Structure formats: C-alpha cells, structure tokens
Amino acid sequence: MWADTLLIVFISICTALLGEGLTWLLVYRTEKYQKLKTEVEKQKVEKQSKRLEKRKETHGDSFYKQHKKKIEREEERLKINNRDLSLVKMKSMFAIGFAFTALLSMFNNIFDGRVVAKLPFLPITWIHGISHRNLPGDDYTDCSFIFLYILCTMSIRQNIQKLLGFAPSRAASKQGNSIFGSNPGQFK
Amino acid sequence: MSTKTKTVERNGTSKSSEDTSLWSKAFTSNSDWPDKEEFLDVVYWMRQFIGIFIGILWGLIPLKGFLGLSLFMLINAAIVYFYCVNFQNINEEEYGGTWELTKEGFMTSFAGFLVTWVIIYSGLYHE
C-alpha cells in the first residue's frame, strides 16, 4: 500500500504545482491582476487605519456622519475592485478546471476498483460515496483513490499557494464577509 | 502610518530579513505583533506542523476510530488557544475573537492530519 499512497501524494503535489503554474501564467503575472490586487490591498489598509483613527477620536454627530459617508464610498469602490479581481481570476479558473477534470478521470481509470489505503476510522455515511467509490465489498474502511486524492489536494494545494505567496490575502478574503454581513461595531 | 508601510513591505519581496526574527518572535513569550497577518501566519504554519505530527503519531500507535479524530481536534484547538492566550498573551478581540484564531488554517491542517494518519496506518498495518 505504500506505493499507491505515496504515488497519490506525488500526483497531487504535481497537479497542485501544475495548477499554480498555469494560474500564474494566465492570471497572476498579468498586469491587470497585479494592479487590481495592489489596489485592493492598499484600500484595505487605508480602511483599517481610518477605522483606528476613528476609534481614538471623540467627536460630534456631524463629524461622525461625514466620516461614515466617506468610509461607505470607499467600501463601494473596494467592492467593485474585488469583483473585478474575481472576474479576472474566474475565466482562467474555468479553463484550468476543465483540464483537471480530464486529468482526474484519467487517474480514476487507472486506480479503478483498487483499494489504495485502509482508513483507521469508519467514515460517516454521506462520505461513503466518495471514500468507497467503485470499490468492491462492504468494508467501508477501504479507501478509494478519489478520497485520498481530495484530502491530499486540500492540504497540499493551499500550503503550496501560501509558500509561493499566491494565496489570497486574508484582507481580500475577509472583504467578502464584510460586504455581505458587515462587522458589528465597525462604525462605532 | 507605520502599519501601512509594514503591510506593504510584507506583500512585497523584502521578506528574508524578517524571517529570522519571525522565528525568534514566534518562540518568545509575549512578543509584540504589530502586523496581525504575521501572527496569523505563525498560527497557520504551527497548525500544519501539529496536524502532520499528530497524524504520524496516531498512525504509529495506531490510534483508530472516532477517538483519533476527536483527540486531534481537541489537541489542535487547545495548543493554538494556549499558545495565543497564555504564551503570546494577545488580545483575541483584535483578531476577531477566539473563533477566528481557532479556525485559522484548521481545514488544511485537518486534511494534512488525515493524509499522514491514513498513509502511515495503512502502510504499517495493512500490506
């Protein structure tokens, strides 16, 4: 079993690197993406420092309203920039997604019906479909290729993104939350 | 203003000089963390190492079943919590509460833990 499991880890490292390489080629290195990214980061930092400033000051109602309006305007701009950023990313993500689906079905065929590992726990029922995919027998601790591959990709891909500095910054990903459900106490 | 320059620097390429001090800062109690991202990165990578380490350990013992999963979650959350609150003495509210810190990098670390646990366990005990 060592050979199969280690091979799957190797495959997912390769596909993660390939995916990141392709994304770099199609998205990250483009001028448009970089410009938008720096702008979003800059705006986020500005927003944070302004919020800090606001907290320090004690002032009247009119000043508060004025400030609030300004912040709201900037947030609107940030929202638009963020949307553009995701649009730039999305197109190539689709292309990469298709390529990887093809690659995955190829590996699926190679490992079809093969128990690649033994799980040390019994997965919950709704995971059986993935963990026991195309495997003979009723022993649900048998692990299929796809389950191990998904787990490997989950851990390896994000770590590689982080190591290479391609991971979306927390500032940008948090922005999504604050658009839809604004942080309580944000304008206090 | 100072936070602004720091963050811009971090996102740029001048990281190498910060790296050595980051290690010592991470292992020194009550360090000062002007850049929140830096601290969250430390928490993130710590989580990954904990995940892989516990995965190897559980695989070698071998620990099985629900006990293994729940023990991992408990130990993982407890270590990070104590590191943040007791060792570094940071104010959780600045980072959006305890929950934000507890979930930082949790899924990735959980996946890493499962992978190492499954590989070691099936490699050693099921030929």
Side-chain angles (χ1 to χ4, degrees), chain B residues 96-112:
Chain B
T98 321
W99 179 242
E100 282 295 319
L101 283 173
T102 331
K103 75 174 192 196
E104 175 64 34
F106 178 77
M107 272 323 279
T108 328
S109 127
F110 185 57

Side-chain angles (χ1 to χ4, degrees), chain A residues 1-2 5-6 9 37 41-42 45-46 48-49 52-53 116-122 141 143 147-160 162-163 165 168-172 174 177 183, chain B residues 1 3-5 7-8 10-11 15 36-38 40-41 44-45 48 52 63-66 69 95-96 100 103-105 107-115 117-124 126-127:
Chain A
M1 276 186 182
W2 282 114
T5 47
L6 294 178
V9 172
K37 199 180 174 207
E41 298 284 333
K42 211 171 76 190
V45 174
E46 268 171 22
Q48 247 171 8
S49 57
L52 273 181
E53 262 172 42
V116 294
K118 201 85 179 161
L119 297 174
F121 57 92
L122 195 67
T141 53
C143 176
F147 187 63
L148 195 60
Y149 178 77
I150 290 173
L151 284 179
C152 284
T153 310
M154 261 169 80
S155 65
I156 291 168
R157 182 133 201 220
Q158 203 176 343
N159 284 337
I160 283 180
K162 230 175 157 72
L163 275 177
S169 74
R170 290 183 188 88
K174 260 211 181 123
N177 299 340
N183 207 351
Chain B
M1 196 58 197
T3 45
K4 184 178 171 180
T5 26
T7 324
V8 171
R10 256 188 56 72
N11 292 331
K15 258 181 165 178
K36 286 180 188 172
E37 291 276 312
E38 217 170 49
L40 287 175
D41 278 345
Y44 177 91
W45 287 115
Q48 308 314 310
I52 290 170
L63 209 61
K64 286 193 275 185
F66 185 69
L69 288 171
Y95 295 85
E100 282 295 319
K103 75 174 192 196
E104 175 64 34
M107 272 323 279
T108 328
S109 127
F110 185 57
F113 156 73
L114 281 183
V115 169
W117 189 25
V118 169
I119 289 177
I120 305 266
Y121 173 80
S122 48
L124 287 181
H126 290 273
E127 271 312 314

